[in-house]
Amino acid sequence: MASLHDQLLKAGLADKASAKQARADKRKKQKQKNKQKQPIVDEATIAAQQAAEEKKARSRELNQLQQQEREKRSIVAQVRQLITVNKQPRNGETLLNFTHDNVVKRMYVSEEMHKQVTKGRLAVVLLDDAYELVPAPVADKIAQRDEASVIYRADLDKSGADGKDEEEDDWYADYEIPDDLTW
């Protein structure tokens, strides 16, 4: 089947030059139409895309919150495990006093444990509502995860008498010691 153009040429209603000109004009119009063609703006499509983006954003936020909750639970579980595995047995009659939230708390421990706590080798930590003793390196690991769980460490306690002794030593530093002083 021949095209309309060919049929008009055979019938003698059109000549080759006018046919060529018509084809060229048609091509130019098509090119310009393609260049000027604007994408069709469909409001429903735009609304659907915005809704999808909002849903993705909400999903990301929820996932982030869930991830934070998982991390918190993981940290609590790690602290609980560190304390339960490393807690020291507290049997004894020596009273150990320490402060928690500006309240003096008491715990009965053995004489050896009391010495270790005062030297900073053991620390008091909080597990649920009970106080436990753990070694200082374990207390460091617990403090890295949750500082609020470590209640008392003697090596970090600055409210002791050590500060007063240093102040007294500094006060006497201005005086010279006589050479003829014998002890």
Side-chain angles (χ1 to χ4, degrees):
M1 182 177 213
S3 69
L4 179 61
H5 169 67
D6 293 336
Q7 290 175 4
L8 289 174
L9 282 177
K10 281 183 186 178
L13 297 173
D15 60 345
K16 286 187 177 185
S18 64
K20 192 173 184 181
Q21 183 65 33
R23 252 188 270 139
D25 289 343
K26 185 178 177 184
R27 245 185 276 127
K28 284 182 183 178
K29 282 183 184 178
Q30 186 64 32
K31 280 186 180 181
Q32 282 196 351
K33 186 177 178 185
N34 287 341
K35 283 183 183 179
Q36 293 177 356
K37 190 174 191 180
Q38 300 259 336
I40 299 172
V41 179
D42 188 13
E43 294 173 6
T45 306
I46 292 173
Q49 288 175 347
Q50 287 177 348
E53 288 175 12
E54 290 173 1
K55 188 174 180 180
K56 285 180 186 178
R58 265 186 272 130
S59 295
R60 271 188 238 114
E61 289 175 11
L62 288 174
N63 286 341
Q64 201 172 31
L65 291 174
Q66 288 174 350
Q67 181 66 26
Q68 289 173 353
E69 284 296 318
R70 276 186 246 131
E71 288 175 5
K72 286 179 186 176
R73 280 185 267 148
S74 172
I75 288 171
V76 168
Q78 289 174 6
V79 168
R80 178 180 299 279
Q81 182 180 14
L82 282 170
I83 293 172
T84 55
V85 168
N86 295 298
K87 69 181 179 180
Q88 303 294 314
R90 297 181 321 194
N91 51 359
E93 296 180 3
T94 305
L95 187 62
L96 173 67
N97 293 320
F98 58 92
T99 59
H100 180 222
D101 293 334
N102 293 328
V103 177
V104 176
K105 302 289 183 171
R106 294 179 166 196
M107 179 188 304
Y108 287 99
V109 295
S110 67
E111 185 67 34
E112 180 63 30
M113 283 190 178
H114 189 274
K115 288 179 185 176
Q116 289 182 0
V117 170
T118 56
K119 290 180 180 177
R121 293 188 184 129
L122 289 177
V124 178
V125 295
L126 182 65
L127 177 64
D128 298 327
D129 291 330
Y131 299 102
E132 300 292 340
L133 293 174
V134 295
V138 175
D140 290 337
K141 291 179 182 178
I142 292 171
Q144 287 175 353
R145 290 163 176 81
D146 183 19
E147 288 189 29
S149 294
V150 179
I151 304 302
Y152 176 76
R153 286 187 59 172
D155 57 347
L156 299 179
D157 188 23
K158 294 182 175 47
S159 63
D162 294 337
K164 292 179 184 176
D165 291 341
E166 290 176 10
E167 289 176 13
E168 290 175 8
D169 290 343
D170 290 340
W171 187 75
Y172 287 112
D174 293 338
Y175 295 100
E176 291 184 31
I177 300 174
D179 294 337
D180 60 347
L181 184 65
T182 57
W183 294 94

